mmCIF file of all heavy atoms in Angstrom:
data_model
loop_
_atom_site.group_PDB
_atom_site.id
_atom_site.type_symbol
_atom_site.label_atom_id
_atom_site.label_comp_id
_atom_site.label_asym_id
_atom_site.label_seq_id
_atom_site.Cartn_x
_atom_site.Cartn_y
_atom_site.Cartn_z
ATOM 1 N N SER X 34 -19.126 -2.461 5.733
ATOM 2 C CA SER X 34 -18.722 -3.683 5.052
ATOM 3 C C SER X 34 -19.889 -4.658 4.996
ATOM 4 O O SER X 34 -20.774 -4.637 5.846
ATOM 5 C CB SER X 34 -17.562 -4.330 5.811
ATOM 6 O OG SER X 34 -17.255 -5.583 5.259
ATOM 7 N N THR X 35 -19.851 -5.522 4.012
ATOM 8 C CA THR X 35 -20.852 -6.593 3.928
ATOM 9 C C THR X 35 -20.327 -7.882 4.548
ATOM 10 O O THR X 35 -21.049 -8.871 4.602
ATOM 11 C CB THR X 35 -21.239 -6.859 2.460
ATOM 12 O OG1 THR X 35 -20.062 -7.208 1.730
ATOM 13 C CG2 THR X 35 -21.892 -5.632 1.834
ATOM 14 N N ILE X 36 -19.091 -7.877 5.030
ATOM 15 C CA ILE X 36 -18.509 -9.066 5.662
ATOM 16 C C ILE X 36 -19.125 -9.222 7.047
ATOM 17 O O ILE X 36 -19.103 -8.292 7.854
ATOM 18 C CB ILE X 36 -16.974 -8.946 5.750
ATOM 19 C CG1 ILE X 36 -16.386 -8.855 4.335
ATOM 20 C CG2 ILE X 36 -16.378 -10.130 6.516
ATOM 21 C CD1 ILE X 36 -14.905 -8.562 4.293
ATOM 22 N N THR X 37 -19.643 -10.414 7.320
ATOM 23 C CA THR X 37 -20.344 -10.643 8.587
ATOM 24 C C THR X 37 -19.546 -11.494 9.573
ATOM 25 O O THR X 37 -20.018 -11.744 10.677
ATOM 26 C CB THR X 37 -21.708 -11.321 8.325
ATOM 27 O OG1 THR X 37 -21.486 -12.552 7.628
ATOM 28 C CG2 THR X 37 -22.615 -10.418 7.512
ATOM 29 N N ASP X 38 -18.370 -11.923 9.207
ATOM 30 C CA ASP X 38 -17.519 -12.732 10.089
ATOM 31 C C ASP X 38 -17.201 -11.935 11.353
ATOM 32 O O ASP X 38 -16.678 -10.820 11.274
ATOM 33 C CB ASP X 38 -16.229 -13.086 9.350
ATOM 34 C CG ASP X 38 -15.300 -13.982 10.154
ATOM 35 O OD1 ASP X 38 -15.408 -14.014 11.399
ATOM 36 O OD2 ASP X 38 -14.455 -14.637 9.532
ATOM 37 N N PRO X 39 -17.522 -12.471 12.544
ATOM 38 C CA PRO X 39 -17.287 -11.744 13.792
ATOM 39 C C PRO X 39 -15.817 -11.395 14.039
ATOM 40 O O PRO X 39 -15.515 -10.455 14.767
ATOM 41 C CB PRO X 39 -17.791 -12.684 14.883
ATOM 42 C CG PRO X 39 -18.565 -13.738 14.217
ATOM 43 C CD PRO X 39 -18.160 -13.764 12.775
ATOM 44 N N SER X 40 -14.899 -12.117 13.417
ATOM 45 C CA SER X 40 -13.482 -11.829 13.630
ATOM 46 C C SER X 40 -12.960 -10.706 12.723
ATOM 47 O O SER X 40 -11.839 -10.243 12.899
ATOM 48 C CB SER X 40 -12.642 -13.090 13.418
ATOM 49 O OG SER X 40 -12.691 -13.500 12.064
ATOM 50 N N PHE X 41 -13.767 -10.267 11.777
ATOM 51 C CA PHE X 41 -13.366 -9.194 10.863
ATOM 52 C C PHE X 41 -13.642 -7.847 11.514
ATOM 53 O O PHE X 41 -14.767 -7.555 11.903
ATOM 54 C CB PHE X 41 -14.133 -9.312 9.548
ATOM 55 C CG PHE X 41 -13.853 -8.210 8.562
ATOM 56 C CD1 PHE X 41 -12.651 -8.167 7.884
ATOM 57 C CD2 PHE X 41 -14.790 -7.223 8.324
ATOM 58 C CE1 PHE X 41 -12.388 -7.154 6.966
ATOM 59 C CE2 PHE X 41 -14.538 -6.216 7.419
ATOM 60 C CZ PHE X 41 -13.332 -6.180 6.739
ATOM 61 N N VAL X 42 -12.596 -7.019 11.655
ATOM 62 C CA VAL X 42 -12.788 -5.694 12.271
ATOM 63 C C VAL X 42 -12.758 -4.578 11.243
ATOM 64 O O VAL X 42 -13.163 -3.465 11.538
ATOM 65 C CB VAL X 42 -11.759 -5.414 13.389
ATOM 66 C CG1 VAL X 42 -11.929 -6.377 14.541
ATOM 67 C CG2 VAL X 42 -10.350 -5.418 12.864
ATOM 68 N N GLY X 43 -12.276 -4.853 10.034
ATOM 69 C CA GLY X 43 -12.289 -3.831 8.998
ATOM 70 C C GLY X 43 -11.126 -3.963 8.051
ATOM 71 O O GLY X 43 -10.249 -4.816 8.217
ATOM 72 N N ALA X 44 -11.126 -3.070 7.043
ATOM 73 C CA ALA X 44 -10.058 -3.074 6.047
ATOM 74 C C ALA X 44 -9.862 -1.663 5.508
ATOM 75 O O ALA X 44 -10.827 -0.944 5.264
ATOM 76 C CB ALA X 44 -10.409 -4.008 4.895
ATOM 77 N N LEU X 45 -8.605 -1.280 5.362
ATOM 78 C CA LEU X 45 -8.259 -0.022 4.711
ATOM 79 C C LEU X 45 -7.771 -0.382 3.315
ATOM 80 O O LEU X 45 -6.830 -1.151 3.165
ATOM 81 C CB LEU X 45 -7.166 0.721 5.480
ATOM 82 C CG LEU X 45 -6.678 2.017 4.837
ATOM 83 C CD1 LEU X 45 -7.800 3.051 4.769
ATOM 84 C CD2 LEU X 45 -5.487 2.575 5.590
ATOM 85 N N VAL X 46 -8.428 0.169 2.312
ATOM 86 C CA VAL X 46 -8.112 -0.154 0.925
ATOM 87 C C VAL X 46 -7.726 1.123 0.200
ATOM 88 O O VAL X 46 -8.419 2.129 0.296
ATOM 89 C CB VAL X 46 -9.338 -0.793 0.222
ATOM 90 C CG1 VAL X 46 -9.051 -1.066 -1.238
ATOM 91 C CG2 VAL X 46 -9.772 -2.051 0.951
ATOM 92 N N GLU X 47 -6.599 1.050 -0.519
ATOM 93 C CA GLU X 47 -6.234 2.141 -1.408
ATOM 94 C C GLU X 47 -6.465 1.655 -2.829
ATOM 95 O O GLU X 47 -5.862 0.673 -3.269
ATOM 96 C CB GLU X 47 -4.784 2.568 -1.231
ATOM 97 C CG GLU X 47 -4.448 3.771 -2.093
ATOM 98 C CD GLU X 47 -3.117 4.387 -1.799
ATOM 99 O OE1 GLU X 47 -2.536 4.105 -0.739
ATOM 100 O OE2 GLU X 47 -2.653 5.162 -2.643
ATOM 101 N N ARG X 48 -7.353 2.338 -3.509
ATOM 102 C CA ARG X 48 -7.698 1.945 -4.878
ATOM 103 C C ARG X 48 -6.613 2.422 -5.847
ATOM 104 O O ARG X 48 -5.784 3.260 -5.510
ATOM 105 C CB ARG X 48 -9.042 2.552 -5.253
ATOM 106 C CG ARG X 48 -10.175 2.009 -4.407
ATOM 107 C CD ARG X 48 -11.469 2.639 -4.806
ATOM 108 N NE ARG X 48 -12.570 2.052 -4.072
ATOM 109 C CZ ARG X 48 -13.692 2.690 -3.817
ATOM 110 N NH1 ARG X 48 -13.875 3.930 -4.233
ATOM 111 N NH2 ARG X 48 -14.643 2.087 -3.147
#
Side-chain angles (χ1 to χ4, degrees):
S34 173
T35 58
I36 298 173
T37 58
D38 183 338
S40 66
F41 177 73
V42 296
L45 177 64
V46 177
E47 184 170 344
R48 295 180 176 153

